Amino acid sequence: MSTIVDWYKDVINNKCHPYTQDWFLVSGPGPLAVILVTYVYFCLSAGPRYMKDKKPYELRKTMIVYNFVQVLFSIYLFYEGLMAGWLYDYNYFCQPVDYSDNPKSIRMAKIVHFYFICKLTELLDTVFFVLRKKSRQISTLHVYHHTLMPVCAWIGVKFLPNGHGTFLGLVNAFIHIIMYMYYMLSSIGSHMNKYLWWKRYITMLQLIQFGMIFIHTIQLFFNGCNYPRPIAFLLLLNATIFIYMFGSFYVENYRKRQRTQTKDEQINMAAKKVE
C-alpha cells in the first residue's frame, strides 16, 4: 500500500507541469472527483427523485443566457488555441510538450486550464435536463461524455498543458460553437424549429471531430515523436470509444428513423393507390 501511495505522490508532485501544478482545481484530483461524483449522483438519482412530483422548470431565459455564454467561451477557446500555437507555430505531425517558460507555451497552458473550467460549467447541460424533466436526453453517452471530458482536461492541464494533445481542445471548441448556437436558438421557442433542420449534422460533426483526433493521435506511434505514449494511447482509446458511441447514437436516432419514415411513406402511398 505504501508503494502505491509513494507512486501517487511522485506522479502528482513530480511528474506534473511546473507552471500549472498550483492552479485552481489542479493541485490534486480530489476536488474534481467530488464535483463529478456529485454530478453523477444528482443527475441519475437525487435530481430525478426531487423532480418526480414536480412540474418541469421552464428555464427558457436561463437556457438562452447559458448557451450564449457557452458560445462565447467556445469562440474564445478556439481563437486562443489558434493564436497560442495551432495557427502558426505548432506542427500537426509532432508537437512535443514544452516545459519551459516560453510565453506561447504559458499562453497555451492558460487556455487549456480555461478549457478545463469550461468542461465543468458544461455539466450544467445535464442539470438543466433534470430540472426540465428531459429524461430521454440523459443517455449513457451523454453522462459518460460529460463525466470523462473534465477528467481528460484535468490530466491535460496538470501534466501536458501544451503540445500535440491540445489539438483535441481546438477542434472541440469549434464544434461547441456550432452546438451551443443550436441549443441557444432552440431555447428561444418552438417557432425557431423551422430554422433548426441541421440538428443531425451536429452529431456528424462530432463524429468527424473524433475521427480527426484519432488520425492526429495515431501517427505519434509511427513518426518517432517525443510525446508521452501513455497519454497518446489514452487519447486514441478515448477517440475510439466516442466514435463508437456517437456512431451508434447517429444510426439509432437518424438512420433507423429515416428508414422507418420512408417505409411508412411507402405504406401510405400504397394505401392511397388501393383507395
Side-chain angles (χ1 to χ4, degrees):
M1 190 67 183
S2 61
T3 303
I4 296 175
V5 172
D6 290 341
W7 172 82
Y8 169 80
K9 289 182 178 179
D10 179 58
V11 170
I12 294 298
N13 298 321
N14 301 322
K15 305 298 184 183
C16 59
H17 196 280
Y19 290 94
T20 63
Q21 58 181 332
D22 297 322
W23 289 5
F24 180 62
L25 296 178
V26 178
S27 58
L32 176 61
V34 170
I35 291 171
L36 293 181
V37 168
T38 303
Y39 161 75
V40 172
Y41 175 69
F42 175 82
C43 294
L44 299 184
S45 180
R49 284 190 283 109
Y50 170 76
M51 293 298 299
K52 184 177 180 181
D53 299 320
K54 291 182 172 60
K55 292 182 179 181
Y57 293 96
E58 184 178 323
L59 300 178
R60 187 175 69 86
K61 292 181 180 178
T62 302
M63 294 294 297
I64 294 172
V65 173
Y66 168 75
N67 289 310
F68 178 68
V69 170
Q70 291 294 348
V71 170
L72 296 181
F73 283 172
S74 299
I75 292 172
Y76 175 73
L77 285 167
F78 184 67
Y79 172 79
E80 281 293 296
L82 289 174
M83 293 300 105
W86 286 109
L87 185 60
Y88 300 113
D89 304 306
Y90 274 20
N91 187 316
Y92 284 87
F93 297 100
C94 173
Q95 186 61 43
V97 180
D98 185 355
Y99 293 95
S100 73
D101 58 354
N102 182 303
K104 280 206 169 181
S105 296
I106 301 304
R107 183 178 182 178
M108 183 65 82
K110 289 179 179 179
I111 199 65
V112 171
H113 183 248
F114 184 66
Y115 177 82
F116 165 61
I117 299 301
C118 287
K119 294 302 110 178
L120 295 180
T121 66
E122 289 170 14
L123 298 178
L124 289 173
D125 286 6
T126 325
V127 173
F128 291 143
F129 283 150
V130 172
L131 296 178
R132 296 164 65 211
K133 300 185 82 167
K134 301 284 187 178
S135 57
R136 195 176 70 86
Q137 306 288 346
I138 309 173
S139 62
T140 301
L141 169 60
H142 178 89
V143 176
Y144 176 79
H145 178 68
H146 280 264
T147 304
L148 186 63
M149 290 306 291
V151 175
C152 294
W154 183 86
I155 292 172
V157 71
K158 177 74 174 179
F159 301 101
L160 312 109
N162 57 67
H164 206 82
T166 59
F167 182 73
L168 181 155
L170 181 75
V171 179
N172 187 245
F174 177 76
I175 300 299
H176 277 207
I177 294 172
I178 301 170
M179 186 181 77
Y180 280 107
M181 181 68 72
Y182 172 88
Y183 290 154
M184 184 184 69
L185 293 174
S186 65
S187 300
I188 294 174
S190 57
H191 63 282
M192 296 296 295
N193 290 344
K194 59 184 177 181
Y195 304 111
L196 301 175
W197 49 267
W198 40 281
K199 180 180 180 181
R200 64 183 297 175
Y201 297 107
I202 295 176
T203 305
M204 292 176 65
L205 285 173
Q206 288 171 320
L207 280 168
I208 293 171
Q209 166 191 204
F210 291 113
M212 291 174 64
I213 294 166
F214 182 92
I215 294 170
H216 187 252
T217 303
I218 199 170
Q219 64 181 325
L220 297 175
F221 294 92
F222 306 102
N223 63 11
C225 184
N226 182 26
Y227 191 84
R229 290 293 186 274
I231 299 299
F233 174 78
L234 289 176
L235 285 170
L236 201 63
L237 178 63
N238 186 35
T240 303
I241 292 172
F242 279 132
I243 288 171
Y244 170 76
M245 296 185 77
F246 275 97
S248 299
F249 175 85
Y250 182 83
V251 170
E252 187 67 29
N253 287 271
Y254 297 112
R255 298 299 296 176
K256 286 186 178 180
R257 186 182 301 174
Q258 187 179 43
R259 286 197 292 267
T260 301
Q261 289 175 346
T262 302
K263 187 175 181 180
D264 289 343
E265 289 174 359
Q266 290 174 345
I267 292 173
N268 290 334
M269 289 178 64
K272 289 180 179 179
K273 288 182 180 179
V274 171
E275 291 174 1

